[in-house]
């Protein structure tokens, strides 16, 4: 009888305990990185930051998603000066997302974009959603 | 007797479970948006971001608070080029907060500001407070 | 016997309850502040923000860590225009961290830096780590 109560107790408490503990450092690192400026020097900084995170934590220990929107969309165009580094980042497992809202406003189509890019309806919603799922936010 | 223990157990565990679960995606979206630059192009980007969030998620499904401070305070002045868009955002339910610390430093009084603006003692404290309450953070 | 069960229950549930509650506003404010731009006007804004946070919340009620990396590292050089304000911030209990990755890339050594600076291997990792530990993030 005592054993039954203790078992129920442990099972019932394990869920909240784990959920709460996920907020702490035991959780795998997940980071959403925002690109919202038209400056190629900032794009290079973003790509350096992503590479440093992977080098420092181990590429398999950190999940990274770059989201480019507004004036930042230029980083993901096929003819951007960052083209080869986007290829490298994608090969290294980084998810690279372009905002379709922005593309529509700037008359960009998928053929204009880097082939390793994937798409979200609204970049800003994606950035908020990731944070509310517990991801860290980086705005270089 | 067994029933008593189980009841106590359920009541005692429900609170942490719910609190922990709030961190996940079931929670309604809440976003604090920072404006700390003097550049009107950035103010337009901020207002576009806010509108996109409302269009994408539904204006009743996302709580948005804009906080302007430091060089960003200009966005909320009565004579700012963003005047009519601030009116639109306020009508759409966005809370628009000006930092009174900054206003004091820049010799601004409430009569200088957009009529839809509300006030916080320190913009930077508000931004931190919202994050610690679980809001996402957007720095366009 | 009943007392035993209740005691076990309270002890077992206290941990998740406290952990979950830390996400709410009862937790002490902890903020990681990013410096990633080369602009001295932005460095001044960062230091104003930090001072305002301490003045507003009480210096003993908020833990602040400044992390400078990439083009922002200049703020922590010995000959930076912000030198005396870095000294003041350190005296007021602010932790001021320089990114060693960046220093290596820019051929900076510790003798080039402000004496109150401490060091992290990768600034960007530190910013992510702090957020995943529940700190708020400020990118002025």
């Amino acid at each position: 009888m005592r054993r039954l109560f203790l078992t129920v107790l442990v099972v019932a408490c394990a869920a909240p305990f784990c959920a709460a503990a996920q907020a702490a450092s035991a959780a795998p690192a997940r980071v959403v990185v925002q690109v919202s400026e038209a400056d190629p020097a900032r794009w290079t900084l973003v790509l350096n930051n992503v590479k440093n995170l992977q080098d420092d934590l181990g590429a398999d220990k950190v999940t990274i998603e770059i989201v480019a929107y507004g004036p930042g969309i230029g980083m993901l165009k096929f003819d951007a000066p960052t083209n080869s580094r986007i290829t490298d980042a994608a090969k290294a497992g980084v998810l690279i997302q372009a905002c379709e809202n922005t593309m529509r406003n700037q008359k960009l189509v998928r053929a204009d974009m880097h082939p390793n890019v994937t798409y979200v309806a609204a970049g800003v919603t994606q950035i908020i959603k990731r944070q509310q799922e517990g991801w860290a936010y980086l705005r270089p």
Side-chain angles (χ1 to χ4, degrees), chain A:
Chain A
M1 180 69 171
R2 192 197 297 194
R3 174 174 245 120
L4 169 71
F5 282 135
L6 287 175
T7 305
V8 170
L9 184 76
V10 167
V11 170
C13 288
F17 186 74
C18 292
Q22 271 193 339
S25 56
R30 296 174 301 170
V31 192
V32 60
V33 185
Q34 172 178 313
V35 183
S36 55
E37 292 188 87
D39 175 16
R42 184 122 343 234
W43 304 343
T44 297
L45 181 64
V46 165
L47 292 159
N48 290 348
N49 288 179
V50 165
K51 187 163 185 334
N52 283 339
L53 271 172
Q54 289 194 320
D55 288 349
D56 198 44
L57 295 173
D60 57 332
K61 298 253 178 358
V62 56
T63 302
I64 302 176
E65 186 171 315
I66 294 174
V67 178
Y69 76 90
I73 199 78
M75 176 172 137
L76 304 188
K77 287 173 68 179
F78 184 76
D79 57 2
T82 36
N83 180 296
S84 70
R85 294 202 60 190
I86 295 288
T87 309
D88 294 344
K91 272 186 198 155
V94 177
L95 194 62
I96 300 155
Q97 307 258 40
C99 171
E100 291 185 315
N101 265 351
T102 300
M103 287 172 61
R104 214 163 19 246
N105 291 341
Q106 300 194 11
K107 320 272 183 237
L108 291 169
V109 295
R110 292 193 180 195
D112 299 316
M113 309 304 284
H114 192 289
N116 290 127
V117 164
T118 51
Y119 298 90
V120 289
V124 74
T125 305
Q126 184 71 6
I127 289 166
I128 299 313
K129 186 175 153 252
R130 288 309 194 195
Q131 287 184 65
Q132 302 221 310
E133 289 168 351
W135 294 46
Y137 170 49
L138 188 71
R139 199 286 192 197

